[in-house]
Amino acid sequence: MFCPSPSVTGRLSFVRSSFSSALAALVLGLFWSPSVLHAVDGQRVLVGKGAASEVQVTTDSANLESLDQGAWTLSVAASGGYPNAQFRLSQGPISLDGFDAMEAEVFNPGDHPVKVVLTVRNPNSRGRDGSSAAAATVPAKSSGVVRTAFGSWHGQTDIPFDQSRIESLSVVIEKPKQATSIVLSRIRAVNESALLEQLNKSDFFQQQEPFFGRGVNIGNTLEAPNEGEWGPRLEAKHLDLIQKAGFDSIRVPVRWSTHAKTRRPYTIDPEFMRRVRWVVDEGLKRELKVMINIHHYEALYQSPEQQEERFLALWKQIADEFAGMPDELVFEVLNEPHDNLDAGKWNDLLAKTLPVIREKHPDRTIVVGPANFNNIAALQFLKLPSDLTAEDRKKLVATFHYYSPFQFTHQGANWLGAESKAWLGTTWSGTEEQKKAVRNDLDRALRWSVENEIPIYLGEFGAYQTADSESRATWTRFVAEEAIQRRMGIAYWEFYSGFGMYDPVQNEWRADLRDAVLGK
């Protein structure tokens, strides 16, 4: 189905493709069922079923074929480039004032994940100039939405963009490693504020309280290869400071994998277990809610199948150690699944892990996050086990992490290399465009929460120390307050290291950051 010519242009016509009618019906059912569309006021379809006007299509190193009801298959060969289909609006530039983003509904029928990019362009725009773009990695045999917020370019906000002059849309399959096909259902402009207004009226949302309240991560401590290598060792006085400042909770990242045998029965070092137990006990003693997880399991991210048995054995030992602890102790299954632990593999592993924990902790709250580094865009691909009862679902909380715009929050971060140095001097002053970008992102997380009736928790957010202090405090306060308004609990990254709100050298709080998180 690969088109050998570099580009093909023609008016789209709704004809039957070579897909069987059975597959077409399956795909269309996946897209156009209410559970996928979540139909609301404030949308405008530009391509696909229900489109108000015709478009011209140009394909580059790709082939586009039509299905019934306006769906399309986009097929490409293996490539190191960006094969795509471009949809140019026949009537010329149109205005999408009042809309926040563009969404492409796609289905991946293949056996491997596919990275799909959606780009929206103004007339004569190139690259970031006058364009907005974002990507989502769609797991095998899954449907999803690629969402591009206006005025953003792959996470960078404040990109010049005139939504009153939309001329074309592009759907790109990024660097496919093998022949790949996706089904494109439709592309539509959406108004998140109209959706949010409906979500806020739901019974589920009205009953929510911010899970875990306002908290802080004890970062660069127990998730370092060895405690003390990335920052200070945690002391009782630090927990006193956190409690007296008024925080509700602490999230404690733990790198169990470097403190456990690599052969069966994968025994965790007893001394390290005692150290984690001390942190948990001391936190609870100070009436702080405590979350522990498995963090930085690098071998699992690279080789999920080979590490599965060890991962489950680690959780069996953790569950045994903390059996009978108060409800204020919460487990998070795994921090930021990524790399080869893609959404499909992570969903399968999660389904195997929950019963291991539940054997000793039938009623404990368990926190789960999506693949792709707990990214908001990946929440849609987090699939909870189908055999969960209604009561089991009530004991789950979903999490996501937020560091947008990345060029601001990670400027000068040495582990990112030379690129991050080029971002130095990036500020965040809280312009209307900057605020809108944050609100739209958090609204997307809230949308997933309400539609799935699972509470949601912002487990990490923060800005690195090389950003100017005023911008850090302004961004932190805005993200914290917007999340709390959406009834999401929060945990700032982190206490006393590179992002820290506490200076361990001067032994004093960075009061502007502390107060920003606490809402003071």
Side-chain angles (χ1 to χ4, degrees):
M1 297 178 69
F2 174 66
C3 178
S5 61
S7 68
V8 176
T9 304
R11 187 172 300 279
L12 298 182
S13 59
F14 299 133
V15 296
R16 185 179 302 277
S17 74
S18 58
F19 267 58
S20 69
S21 58
L23 177 58
L26 170 63
V27 171
L28 298 176
L30 283 170
F31 282 125
W32 293 322
S33 65
S35 63
V36 174
L37 272 185
H38 312 299
V40 295
D41 295 333
Q43 67 174 6
R44 178 172 178 179
V45 180
L46 301 180
V47 175
K49 183 182 179 183
S53 61
E54 294 182 318
V55 294
Q56 297 279 351
V57 63
T58 301
T59 57
D60 184 357
S61 303
N63 187 49
L64 194 69
E65 297 186 43
S66 61
L67 292 168
D68 287 337
Q69 302 188 53
W72 295 85
T73 61
L74 177 63
S75 302
V76 302
S79 168
Y82 301 86
N84 64 84
Q86 304 167 30
F87 302 90
R88 183 173 295 274
L89 305 175
S90 300
Q91 72 271 42
I94 64 171
S95 174
L96 291 176
D97 286 335
F99 293 91
D100 305 306
M102 197 73 71
E103 292 184 345
E105 298 169 359
V106 299
F107 174 68
N108 173 15
D111 296 324
H112 57 278
V114 178
K115 188 173 184 179
V116 182
V117 182
L118 174 65
T119 303
V120 186
R121 298 189 185 279
N122 298 146
N124 303 315
S125 60
R126 291 175 175 270
R128 302 184 189 188
D129 177 24
S131 304
S132 294
T137 300
V138 184
K141 295 180 172 56
S142 296
S143 59
V145 172
V146 186
R147 181 183 182 277
T148 299
F150 294 151
S152 68
W153 181 268
H154 296 286
Q156 182 176 349
T157 57
D158 287 348
I159 300 299
F161 185 77
D162 183 0
Q163 62 204 63
S164 68
R165 291 173 54 78
I166 306 295
E167 185 174 71
S168 64
L169 317 165
S170 297
V171 176
V172 182
I173 298 179
E174 182 173 318
K175 297 181 180 180
K177 295 180 180 180
Q178 54 193 298
T180 299
S181 292
I182 62 170
V183 180
L184 172 65
S185 171
R186 63 183 184 175
I187 306 175
R188 56 183 178 156
V190 295
N191 182 327
E192 287 288 357
S193 58
L195 174 62
L196 182 63
E197 189 174 328
Q198 296 186 35
L199 297 179
N200 287 346
K201 295 176 182 176
S202 70
D203 290 341
F204 174 81
F205 179 79
Q206 293 295 324
Q207 295 168 7
Q208 293 305 301
E209 294 291 338
F211 171 78
F212 247 44
R214 298 176 189 256
V216 60
N217 280 270
I218 309 298
N220 287 22
T221 303
L222 294 179
E223 92 277 18
N226 292 287
E227 188 179 1
E229 291 183 2
W230 288 0
R233 285 180 59 86
L234 184 70
E235 300 178 36
K237 67 178 183 180
H238 297 133
L239 296 172
D240 288 336
L241 287 165
I242 292 170
Q243 187 270 331
K244 290 176 182 177
F247 288 95
D248 302 304
S249 60
I250 56 174
R251 178 175 179 259
V252 185
V254 184
R255 189 192 290 237
W256 300 93
S257 56
T258 58
H259 300 278
K261 300 292 185 183
T262 57
R263 297 181 181 276
R264 295 174 184 165
Y266 311 111
T267 304
I268 295 171
D269 175 23
E271 183 178 349
F272 185 72
M273 180 70 84
R274 285 193 292 272
R275 176 60 174 164
V276 178
R277 180 65 181 251
W278 179 87
V279 175
V280 171
D281 288 342
E282 292 297 312
L284 293 175
K285 186 186 300 182
R286 290 162 175 79
E287 297 186 345
L288 293 167
K289 289 172 280 191
V290 180
M291 182 183 303
I292 59 173
N293 69 3
I294 290 183
H295 208 98
H296 286 325
Y297 193 162
E298 304 299 339
L300 179 68
Y301 305 143
Q302 299 304 320
S303 305
E305 294 86 354
Q306 290 83 351
Q307 293 294 319
E308 177 182 302
E309 181 182 62
R310 186 171 183 247
F311 180 74
L312 296 176
L314 293 180
W315 262 118
K316 176 67 166 60
Q317 294 173 74
I318 298 166
D320 287 348
E321 172 67 26
F322 293 99
M325 295 291 285
D327 293 343
E328 287 73 20
L329 173 64
V330 167
F331 293 153
E332 179 185 13
V333 181
L334 180 67
N335 179 73
E336 296 187 350
H338 61 277
D339 286 355
N340 294 326
L341 187 57
D342 59 34
K345 293 176 182 177
W346 169 231
N347 291 334
D348 290 343
L349 181 56
L350 176 62
K352 296 174 182 177
T353 308
L354 290 176
V356 173
I357 299 174
R358 287 289 179 224
E359 183 177 351
K360 293 290 181 69
H361 301 266
D363 298 317
R364 190 169 305 284
T365 299
I366 299 177
V367 175
V368 298
N372 194 23
F373 296 94
N374 291 164
N375 190 281
I376 290 174
L379 274 169
Q380 61 182 316
F381 304 123
L382 176 63
K383 306 300 181 186
L384 301 176
S386 58
D387 60 351
L388 286 180
T389 66
E391 287 302 311
D392 287 335
R393 287 179 66 90
K394 291 179 181 179
K395 301 165 192 170
L396 294 179
V397 171
T399 188
F400 70 100
H401 295 171
Y402 191 69
Y403 293 100
S404 183
F406 197 75
Q407 290 80 1
F408 165 68
T409 63
H410 282 67
Q411 59 184 291
N414 53 18
W415 62 91
L416 296 177
E419 184 179 21
S420 68
K421 294 181 181 179
W423 304 335
L424 287 170
T426 304
T427 61
W428 201 93
S429 57
T431 66
E432 285 307 310
E433 292 80 7
Q434 289 172 333
K435 290 179 178 179
K436 182 177 181 181
V438 172
R439 289 186 180 115
N440 286 345
D441 287 340
L442 298 181
D443 288 347
R444 191 176 187 189
L446 176 60
R447 175 178 173 180
W448 184 92
S449 173
V450 174
E451 289 169 350
N452 290 274
E453 295 194 346
I454 299 288
I456 197 155
Y457 170 67
L458 176 48
E460 290 185 18
F461 71 108
Y464 194 55
Q465 61 189 0
T466 44
D468 71 275
S469 59
E470 184 176 353
S471 290
R472 290 178 74 195
T474 301
W475 179 86
T476 299
R477 180 176 294 277
F478 187 76
V479 173
E481 291 310 305
E482 291 293 318
I484 291 293
Q485 285 180 24
R486 288 159 180 77
R487 306 188 186 183
M488 303 173 183
I490 59 175
Y492 180 79
W493 186 271
E494 33 65 28
F495 176 53
Y496 53 14
S497 194
F499 290 72
M501 64 173 67
Y502 182 78
D503 185 337
V505 177
Q506 299 298 324
N507 291 316
E508 62 183 18
W509 287 101
R510 296 183 174 99
D512 53 351
L513 285 177
R514 176 199 62 197
D515 293 349
V517 177
L518 290 173
K520 293 183 177 179

